[in-house]
Amino acid sequence: MCCLRHRHLSGDVVSWLDRAKENNGGRYSETHVENVKVLTKLFPLYGLQLLYRVCITQIPSGYYIQTMNSNLHLGDLLLPIGAMNVISILPLLLLAPLMEFVTTFFLSIEKTPLAPARVITLGHTCAAVSLLVAGFLELHRKAYPLVEQTLSGKVLHVSSMPCFQLAPQYILLGVAEALVTPACSLISFQLIPSHIRGISLHFLTLSYGGGCLLGAFIIQLVYFCSGGHFYPNSLHDGNLERFFFLLALLMTINTLLFWRLSYRYMDLSVQGKPLNSSSLSEKLLHYKATLRFYDTIEHLSTDSVL
């Protein structure tokens, strides 16, 4: 790639990928190369979803531990720990039809709805705020006195703070998921030609899995650097709030980076137009090759074919 970029690119060749085109001496058609160029345009989008996925995975990990060490009693009823996860699902159930209604309303009055890139930026902001709120609520939770609570036959000393006070952080992450995931899928669907849309969606799914691996790496790194003080046997003696503040800081930087790059994904209506002309050129070249094969007219113009 360095050799191509510094020694071979010249004249009307704009990108190093253009050297792969047949009309520049490469092995691939112009359509294939242009499709790859459009796909690579989405790589920053996929890469900036990794840290966002780390935040989302806090629902079954960091937030779960925080809830487990809070007071789960509702009167005489002991709530299951997973009951708090329902709070994060409610924004998905409520916002999805609401956003569809708003989009349809804007289209009906011939106004442009909010761009998907701006929706993703808003969702990333909600995720960062959720981690920040989780850090402050962790400090608030540790200020409560400890009480005994039995979970799965084991007596634990947990904070007497009611678990429902953790609801804001769950709601914010639910709102973020309702905003980000549909918008990312829409950008991947709109920007990519129809015959390689499946590949782009697979890359998006891969970024979600990569986010889980990145989250595990960050947790292991923080655990190693702190000597286990962030996750001791008793959460009351730990520093889980610092971990949440760290993720909030990283997510804020991630949001600013995406905001700076979001101009690439603003206008989705003009994508794919050069591919049509490329497809026509491909047909003309194929037609010319067929004429040459049958030893007929070798020189033809585009106007004569059209």
Side-chain angles (χ1 to χ4, degrees), residues 264-291:
R264 298 185 179 187
Y265 315 109
M266 285 298 181
D267 190 3
L268 306 179
S269 61
V270 299
Q271 302 299 326
K273 285 187 178 180
L275 300 179
N276 296 331
S277 60
S278 302
S279 178
L280 177 59
S281 301
E282 242 184 8
K283 291 179 181 178
L284 292 176
L285 290 173
H286 179 71
Y287 183 50
K288 183 176 180 179
T290 304
L291 292 176

Side-chain angles (χ1 to χ4, degrees), residues 227-244:
H229 293 299
F230 273 37
Y231 315 107
N233 292 329
S234 176
L235 191 63
H236 193 78
D237 300 327
N239 297 289
L240 187 61
E241 70 279 356
R242 296 184 184 178
F243 176 70
F244 289 149

Side-chain angles (χ1 to χ4, degrees), residues 94-130:
L94 298 177
L95 282 180
L98 179 61
M99 291 175 63
E100 185 68 22
F101 172 78
V102 171
T103 302
T104 305
F105 173 75
F106 272 98
L107 293 176
S108 65
I109 61 176
E110 298 182 352
K111 287 188 176 181
T112 305
L114 193 63
R118 298 192 182 278
V119 175
I120 295 175
T121 304
L122 182 59
H124 284 188
T125 303
C126 290
V129 173
S130 174

Side-chain angles (χ1 to χ4, degrees), residues 225-268:
C225 294
S226 66
H229 293 299
F230 273 37
Y231 315 107
N233 292 329
S234 176
L235 191 63
H236 193 78
D237 300 327
N239 297 289
L240 187 61
E241 70 279 356
R242 296 184 184 178
F243 176 70
F244 289 149
F245 289 146
L246 174 63
L247 284 185
L249 176 62
L250 294 176
M251 192 60 207
T252 301
I253 298 173
N254 189 83
T255 304
L256 293 175
L257 286 176
F258 182 82
W259 177 71
R260 290 292 302 270
L261 295 175
S262 61
Y263 69 91
R264 298 185 179 187
Y265 315 109
M266 285 298 181
D267 190 3
L268 306 179

